Amino acid sequence: EVQLMASGGGSTQAGGSLRLSCTASGFTFGGSDMGWYRQAPGKRCHRVAELRKTTISYRPEVRGRFTISLDNTENTLYLQMNNLQPLDTAAYYCAVEGGWPDDCPRPTIVDTDEHWSQGTQVTVVS
């Protein structure tokens, strides 16, 4: 059984940093589309960072502040978040083959290659 476990969320002041981790069991990162997503209350799910093989992309509002990386030895996906702002407050999720759902995690998953972690809350206060 594939399980993704996200951790590292918390509360910080504006300008602070956090590092999120996503550890996989029953699955090896690397060959799939991997991403970090977030969803704030009342808003839709957004993919903030994607790593597909060696290609990385970011949502514009996090580019230059967030860094996605993969540690193959630890089989762990990371999201380093620097200069956090109140707009970054949300529940964060990691996913494999997550696509572009309206809600994170996708309520009904039909693709057997799609997997989601539980959320980890990030709160940034000004």
Side-chain angles (χ1 to χ4, degrees), residues 36-99:
W36 284 98
Y37 295 70
R38 70 185 183 189
Q39 187 165 23
K43 298 189 177 181
R44 64 159 295 166
C45 178
H46 290 131
R47 185 164 69 191
V48 296
E50 178 190 19
L51 172 58
R52 178 183 285 276
K53 296 185 178 179
T54 59
T55 300
I56 292 175
S57 61
Y58 298 98
R59 191 170 175 81
E61 62 259 39
V62 309
R63 192 174 296 128
R65 299 188 298 122
F66 289 12
T67 303
I68 187 172
S69 63
L70 175 65
D71 185 326
N72 288 300
T73 301
E74 298 293 329
N75 200 30
T76 300
L77 186 71
Y78 295 101
L79 184 69
Q80 177 67 42
M81 305 184 294
N82 297 329
N83 191 22
L84 283 161
Q85 301 300 316
L87 62 86
D88 298 314
T89 295
Y92 284 72
Y93 305 79
C94 65
V96 173
E97 303 295 347

